[in-house]
Amino acid sequence: MNRGVYTLALRALAPLVWLWMARRAKRAGGQWEIFSPERFGRAQSGPSDPLKTPVWVHAVSLGETRAAQPLLQALLDRGLPVLLTHMTATGRAEGARLFQDAMARGQLRQAWLPYDFPGATRRFMANRQPRCGLLVEREIWPNLLAAARRAKVPMALVSARYSASSLRQAGRMGSVMREALAGLDAVLAQTAEDAARLAQAGAPAPVVTGNLKFDLVLPAPQVQAGQAWRGKLGRPVVAVASTREGEDGPFIDAIKRHSGTPGAPLFLLIPRHPQRFEEAARLLADAGLPFARRSDGAEPGPEIAVLLGDSLGEMAFYYAASDVAIVAGSFAPLGGQNLIEACAAGVPVIVGPHTFNFQQAAEDAIEAGAAQRAPGAAQAVDIAMALLADDTRRQRASRAARTWFDMHAGATRRTLDALGPWLD
């Protein structure tokens, strides 16, 4: 497939994509602005006027926005103007939350990434005039990169991860993806394995700079609040974090086996996406488990078995309040979710069998004693209970988690060093 065929296919499929986005917006809430002028590369008037030669950072959704936080903060600390783009409402809301001060002083502005139509991407480059573009993790759009080349905007893929499945998908797309990757001016990979796959797919000279998530600084107020909350609670806490489709039911069944027993912990059940909060609440009610909702603000009494984490932007609070963290998204074939944040909080981690989105990080954490792998939800809860029953083992795993996190710091500095000439 060449880029012309790709563009024709994209135009033909656009109504289906917009329908999917509308349905997702209805479930998830938030302002998606599917037909916003920005989605078609047109700058809006007023406060959305473009900054002068900003560093443009694209973080597609919630996870990438959080991953980019250390890099974005470092750019702001240098006094650079920053344009932060997203594709999803959750990513945009998280960016606004994390950088509200920079937005208030006009140093950072947000916009929607344009759809990957040739005209939309050309207008975006003409209106925004970025000095460079930094794509976080794996956002490769052929027409966008072609427009950047024509506008002479240097482009980098930073904290890049590229799985075996991404490599196979790129192969199926033919020359269009190889051409897009070849058009990058810098490719900064998380691991040597990511770099090798990117080179095989056509990226020029990838170098390993590490994972930006290891430079995460947990918000101190949340950490302190979580620790104080745990101290007042007076019983152990197990976080089941970032559950995705098909995972809540098995975890609720496993929790039910342990609820009501002497010394039973409080389980925090934290769905990954807000559109699933009500579904999780229904499953808890159907199972007959006494539960409370974080959004209600009430302190869970001793009769409560589960606290439903139906709030956004509080993951640091949840991890700081926990004795053990089960990081979900990995107990169904979905690739797993970020375990690094839990390790930053010094919490022993349990992951499932499906961690291909974070393969190297998961394997390294397991080897370092910071994490354990369980084949299913029931076994993960059993491991958590065993850790709670063995203080020495749990504290050793806690120290290993924090040590492993600290060992991998420095990706932001290495990324900035690699991009230095573009940022001067």
Side-chain angles (χ1 to χ4, degrees), residues 218 223 227 316 319-320 322-325 339-349 370 394-406:
L218 297 178
V223 171
Q227 291 171 343
Y319 283 141
S322 301
D323 298 280
V324 181
L339 75 161
I340 296 171
E341 196 168 0
C343 291
V347 183
V349 170
R394 180 173 51 79
Q395 289 170 9
R396 184 168 60 245
S398 175
R399 289 192 297 270
R402 184 65 211 191
T403 300
W404 176 75
F405 173 82
D406 290 339

Side-chain angles (χ1 to χ4, degrees), residues 78-104:
R78 288 189 174 199
L80 291 164
V82 174
L83 173 67
L84 177 59
T85 60
H86 313 273
M87 281 294 284
T88 73
T90 52
R92 188 157 179 162
E94 182 69 358
R97 185 187 71 83
L98 291 172
F99 299 105
Q100 54 186 318
D101 291 343
M103 292 177 67

Side-chain angles (χ1 to χ4, degrees), residues 216-241 266 268 270 294 307 313-327 339-349 394 398 402:
L216 170 75
V217 177
L218 297 178
Q222 282 197 34
V223 171
Q224 292 162 5
Q227 291 171 343
W229 184 88
R230 165 66 180 85
K232 288 190 296 182
L233 189 68
R235 57 173 161 150
V237 176
V238 175
V240 183
L266 175 69
L268 309 180
I270 311 160
R294 171 68 177 165
L307 179 66
E314 283 201 302
M315 194 61 79
F317 170 90
Y318 291 128
Y319 283 141
S322 301
D323 298 280
V324 181
I326 300 170
V327 180
L339 75 161
I340 296 171
E341 196 168 0
C343 291
V347 183
V349 170
R394 180 173 51 79
S398 175
R402 184 65 211 191

